[in-house]
Amino acid sequence: MMETLIIREGKLNCNIETKGLIENEDMKNFLRLIAVYRNLQEKNDDDAERYGALIDMIIENVNAILARQKKEKQMADTLKVYFRKIDENVRLPERNGAAWDLFLPADVHIEAGQTVKIPLGFAAALPEGYSAFILMRSSTWQKWGLCLGNQLGLWDGGYRGNKDQLGLICYRPNSYKGYPEIIPAGTRIAQFIIFRNPPDLDFEIVDNLPDPSRGGFGSTGE
C-alpha cells in the first residue's frame, strides 16, 4: 500500500512515496524529526536551520534509495530473451502495449491469391518456461491485405536453437487485388505476446465424467 508523506514546511517542499521500501520505524523517526523542526521553527530557535538542513539531507538520501530500489525491481521484473541475428538487417522487437512488434528484415513480394513464407531474420530463446502467441497487427490487414495462414501462431519455448528462425506463413485473398505487391523491409508485420507455459496434465480414463451432459457438440449455440 502506498503511503505518501507531503512535507510543506518552511523551505521544505517535496513528496516522499513509499511502497514498503522504508521501514515503518525509520518513517516514525523521520516524522519525529519533523515535529522537532516545527517546534523549533515556532520558537524561532537558531537550531531550526540546522534541523531543516538535516531533513533536506534525509529527503535526498531517501529519494535516492527509492529510485535505486524502483530500478532494481523493474530489472527483476524483466525477462531475458536471447536474440540471434540471421539477417543482419533485422530489427529487435519493440514493445507496443501488451505485445512486441515484429519487423520485416527484407522486402516481401506477394500477389493476390498467393501464400508466402516470410522469414523474420532471427532465432531467439524465450525465457525458460515461457512461450508466445504470434498475431497479425490490424494495420497489416488494412495496409497490405495480408492474413496469417493459421490465424494464430504459436512460438513454442522449445524452438530456441541457432537455426530455429522465426517466420510467418501469410496469404492474400484472391479478391484483394488493389494492394501493393511489395511490402518493404522494416514494416511492422506482426506481433507476439509472451505467456507462462501451462502446467502438465495427467489424463485419466474413466467411464463417467463428474458433471451432467449439456447436450453435445453445438448444443449451446444457435
Side-chain angles (χ1 to χ4, degrees):
M1 181 177 182
M2 179 178 291
E3 176 186 355
T4 304
L5 173 64
I6 303 178
I7 305 168
R8 299 191 185 280
E9 194 68 40
K11 66 176 182 178
L12 300 180
N13 183 6
C14 61
N15 293 343
I16 296 180
E17 293 183 347
T18 65
K19 275 188 176 180
L21 300 178
I22 301 176
E23 295 294 334
N24 288 336
E25 193 60 36
D26 291 337
M27 184 59 72
K28 290 177 183 178
N29 290 333
F30 185 53
L31 292 173
R32 292 189 191 103
L33 183 61
I34 292 175
V36 172
Y37 170 68
R38 286 173 177 167
N39 187 45
L40 292 173
Q41 268 196 325
E42 290 173 359
K43 295 179 179 179
N44 292 319
D45 195 298
D46 292 340
D47 284 337
E49 186 65 24
R50 183 166 60 86
Y51 273 87
L54 178 60
I55 291 173
D56 283 344
M57 183 181 68
I58 292 174
I59 290 172
E60 183 178 350
N61 289 335
V62 167
N63 286 336
I65 292 171
L66 290 174
R68 186 178 70 250
Q69 292 182 336
K70 182 179 179 181
K71 184 177 180 180
E72 289 173 353
K73 185 178 184 301
Q74 289 174 339
M75 292 179 65
D77 291 341
T78 301
L79 299 174
K80 177 76 72 176
V81 175
Y82 296 101
F83 189 94
R84 179 177 180 270
K85 286 188 174 184
I86 294 174
D87 187 319
E88 284 303 315
N89 295 319
V90 70
R91 288 174 57 178
L92 287 171
E94 291 182 3
R95 180 144 198 181
N96 188 354
W100 281 261
D101 288 340
L102 296 167
F103 299 85
L104 287 180
D107 293 351
V108 171
H109 180 270
I110 183 171
E111 300 176 11
Q114 279 190 328
T115 298
V116 295
K117 183 178 180 181
I118 303 175
L120 292 177
F122 71 91
L126 294 173
E128 290 287 348
Y130 285 83
S131 296
F133 287 127
I134 300 175
L135 313 93
M136 275 299 190
R137 292 168 47 87
S138 58
S139 60
T140 304
W141 173 262
Q142 294 172 355
K143 292 181 180 179
W144 310 107
L146 282 190
C147 301
L148 196 59
N150 53 353
Q151 304 303 318
L152 179 67
L154 175 62
W155 179 359
D156 192 282
Y159 191 73
R160 54 193 291 118
N162 281 340
K163 296 182 180 181
D164 292 337
Q165 178 172 195
L166 208 65
L168 307 172
I169 297 177
C170 297
Y171 71 93
R172 178 178 286 171
N174 194 49
S175 59
Y176 278 61
K177 297 180 179 180
Y179 287 89
E181 294 185 356
I182 301 296
I183 305 175
T187 297
R188 297 174 187 262
I189 193 69
Q191 58 191 339
F192 72 90
I193 299 175
I194 193 170
F195 63 89
R196 188 182 292 276
N197 292 339
D200 289 337
L201 300 177
D202 180 19
F203 291 93
E204 179 181 351
I205 297 176
V206 297
D207 293 328
N208 296 291
L209 297 175
D211 294 327
S213 297
R214 296 177 59 183
F217 178 74
S219 62
T220 57
E222 294 183 24

